[in-house]
């Protein structure tokens, strides 16, 4: 016999089905809103020890900017400074704006909205990426000073040969050539590996880029063309790893911050070239394990080529800044 379905039962099942659909839609909206909120968090959260402190929070233009140099310790520096209670940093230090015309044209209000929330007594610190890879470096730096005339500028440098090797390894581990087999590193440096693109939005070769990005003398001159000397600080990236406290104290003084960091805040690793960990209670952390990749040995021919290329630049850099590197 054919089962008989009453109209009442049919109506109940239909309504239940509609209700289940509405519940699914509701929870889908909640999930989407949550994901959107989390994506926005890096720019919205006060950093480090500033969380939970009573005070009016607002988004202000930065008081200090880390301009580079790539693969010299800029992320390490930003991570350490972000733990200072009187500094506010975004969750992701790099704020793209000045190096991209299509972003710069959105105006200063757009840039300010990307800043972290900060108390009135905090300094706002961000990293401005791709300055020295931009097609017009002078224009990019001028945009900085036009928008932020009183900003403090920090430039991190280290042994240029080490920087070159780190840059190449980064390009094949996380950069444009990620997933590609890396040619012999000596061939890349000596320009025997053929054309290898360095950046997505540029035709510059990896060979040319790695050498140009190690010319600290040129970079310093470009910076001083637009920023006053008293607003510029050079940080030694190698010392930042080996003796972080001494270098961080210089930054605290430069930014006129209350002294905060002590030797107890840093835990130095046993392995050579290891990055320090930071002992700050709830904010204790170590740098990513990808930092400080082992460097392959360079051929003597390559080392001599780099020494002859970089030492005159370093001699000029010493005249400019008083900082000495001997290769």
């Amino acid at each position: 016999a054919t089962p008989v379905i009453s109209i009442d039962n049919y109506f109940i099942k239909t309504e239940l089905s509609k209700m289940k659909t509405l519940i699914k839609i509701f929870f889908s909206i909640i999930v989407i809103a949550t994901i959107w909120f989390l994506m926005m968090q890096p720019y919205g959260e006060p950093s480090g020890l500033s969380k939970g402190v009573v005070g009016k929070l607002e988004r202000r233009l930065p008081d200090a900017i880390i301009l580079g140099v790539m693969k010299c310790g800029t992320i390490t520096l930003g991570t350490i400074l972000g733990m200072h209670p009187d500094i506010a940093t975004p969750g992701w230090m790099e704020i793209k704006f000045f190096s991209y015309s299509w972003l710069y044209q959105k105006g200063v209000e757009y840039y300010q909205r990307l800043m972290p929330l900060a108390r009135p007594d905090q300094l706002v610190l961000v990293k401005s990426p791709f300055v020295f890879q931009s097609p017009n470096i002078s224009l990019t730096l001028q945009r900085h000073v036009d928008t932020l005339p009183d900003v403090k500028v920090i430039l991190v440098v280290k042994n240029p040969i080490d920087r070159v090797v780190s840059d190449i390894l980064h390009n094949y581990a996380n950069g444009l050539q990620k997933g590609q087999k890396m040619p012999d590193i000596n061939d890349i440096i000596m320009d025997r590996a053929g054309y290898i693109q360095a950046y997505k939005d540029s035709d510059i070769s990896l060979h040319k880029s790695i050498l140009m990005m190690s010319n600290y003398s040129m970079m310093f001159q470009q910076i001083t063309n637009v920023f006053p000397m008293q607003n510029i600080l050079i940080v030694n990236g190698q010392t930042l790893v080996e003796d972080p406290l001494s270098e961080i104290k210089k930054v605290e003084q430069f930014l006129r911050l209350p002294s905060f960091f002590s030797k107890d805040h840093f835990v130095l690793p046993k392995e050579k070239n290891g990055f320090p960990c930071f002992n700050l209670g709830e904010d204790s952390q170590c740098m990513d394990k990808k930092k400080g990749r082992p460097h392959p040995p360079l051929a003597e021919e390559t080392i001599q080529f780099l020494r002859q290329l970089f030492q005159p630049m370093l001699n000029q850099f010493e005249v400019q800044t008083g900082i000495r590197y001997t290769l």
Side-chain angles (χ1 to χ4, degrees):
T2 303
V4 177
I5 301 176
S6 69
I7 293 178
D8 289 341
N9 286 340
Y10 176 79
F11 176 79
I12 292 172
K13 289 182 178 180
T14 301
E15 291 302 310
L16 285 174
S17 178
K18 289 180 180 180
M19 187 175 295
K20 288 179 180 178
T21 301
L22 289 173
I23 291 173
K24 288 180 180 179
I25 294 173
F26 173 77
F27 279 107
S28 296
I29 292 172
I30 294 296
V31 169
I32 292 171
T34 302
I35 293 173
W36 179 86
F37 177 77
L38 291 174
M39 288 176 68
M40 294 299 291
Q41 278 301 99
Y43 294 132
E45 279 290 319
S47 63
L49 300 180
S50 66
K51 294 178 182 178
V53 177
V54 177
K56 182 181 178 182
L57 299 177
E58 58 183 0
R59 302 185 194 276
R60 305 194 315 271
L61 293 176
D63 303 286
I65 283 185
I66 301 174
L67 286 184
V69 177
M70 180 182 181
K71 307 314 298 176
C72 285
T74 57
I75 292 178
T76 301
L77 178 63
T79 301
I80 297 173
L81 291 177
M83 296 178 185
H84 195 295
D86 293 324
I87 289 183
T89 62
W92 179 248
M93 283 288 295
E94 295 186 345
I95 304 293
K96 298 178 181 179
F97 182 66
F98 296 102
S99 301
Y100 299 87
S101 294
W102 65 278
L103 288 175
Y104 186 71
Q105 290 170 0
K106 291 188 176 185
V108 67
E109 294 81 7
Y110 164 80
Y111 183 55
Q112 186 167 338
R113 288 197 299 270
L114 301 180
M115 293 299 111
L117 293 168
R119 304 190 315 267
D121 61 323
Q122 283 183 304
L123 293 181
V124 176
L125 171 72
V126 301
K127 180 181 175 184
S128 191
F130 304 116
V131 173
F132 299 103
Q133 297 100 314
S134 59
N136 191 330
I137 298 172
S138 297
L139 175 62
T140 301
L141 289 170
Q142 189 61 49
R143 287 172 174 174
H144 282 78
V145 78
D146 288 345
T147 307
L148 311 165
D150 300 318
V151 75
K152 300 281 189 177
V153 173
I154 300 174
L155 189 73
V156 189
V157 301
K158 72 176 185 181
N159 183 309
I161 295 180
D162 291 340
R163 200 217 69 81
V164 162
V165 176
S166 295
D167 201 346
I168 294 173
L169 296 180
H170 172 79
N171 198 283
Y172 279 89
N174 293 309
L176 192 61
Q177 303 303 322
K178 182 178 181 179
Q180 302 297 317
K181 183 179 179 180
M182 189 178 84
D184 184 279
I185 195 167
N186 296 283
D187 290 338
I188 296 175
I189 295 172
M190 300 300 290
D191 201 17
R192 297 189 296 250
Y195 172 74
I196 302 171
Q197 189 174 355
Y199 312 112
K200 182 179 179 181
D201 300 322
S202 172
D203 293 331
I204 190 172
S205 71
L206 182 59
H207 165 77
K208 184 177 180 180
S209 172
I210 58 175
L211 302 182
M212 179 184 70
M213 291 294 292
S214 293
N215 189 346
Y216 307 144
S217 174
M218 179 188 69
M219 293 178 183
F220 185 78
Q221 184 61 55
Q222 290 168 327
I223 293 173
T224 54
N225 284 341
V226 293
F227 289 101
M229 285 286 292
Q230 65 268 23
N231 285 356
I232 303 169
L233 176 69
I234 307 298
V235 171
N236 188 320
Q238 193 60 39
T239 306
L240 188 64
V241 172
E242 297 173 352
D243 183 18
L245 181 59
S246 66
E247 212 64 18
I248 287 298
K249 284 298 178 185
K250 295 177 185 177
V251 182
E252 282 184 333
Q253 293 174 7
F254 172 68
L255 297 178
R256 298 182 180 180
L257 290 168
S259 179
F260 169 73
F261 292 104
S262 70
K263 63 180 182 179
D264 295 331
H265 287 137
F266 302 98
V267 180
L268 299 179
K270 296 180 180 179
E271 63 271 18
K272 185 179 180 181
N273 296 328
F275 282 72
C277 296
F278 316 115
N279 183 24
L280 291 170
E282 293 182 0
D283 288 297
S284 295
Q285 60 178 290
C286 294
M287 296 302 294
D288 194 303
K289 292 181 179 179
K290 295 178 182 178
K291 304 294 291 180
R293 298 182 183 91
H295 285 193
L298 299 179
E300 186 61 30
E301 173 196 25
T302 306
I303 295 174
Q304 290 303 319
F305 164 74
L306 293 175
R307 283 175 176 166
Q308 291 175 10
L309 177 67
F310 289 142
Q311 194 59 60
M313 300 176 187
L314 293 174
N315 293 341
Q316 179 62 28
F317 188 63
E318 182 181 1
V319 172
Q320 294 167 314
T321 66
I323 297 173
R324 173 181 293 184
Y325 280 103
T326 302
L327 302 178

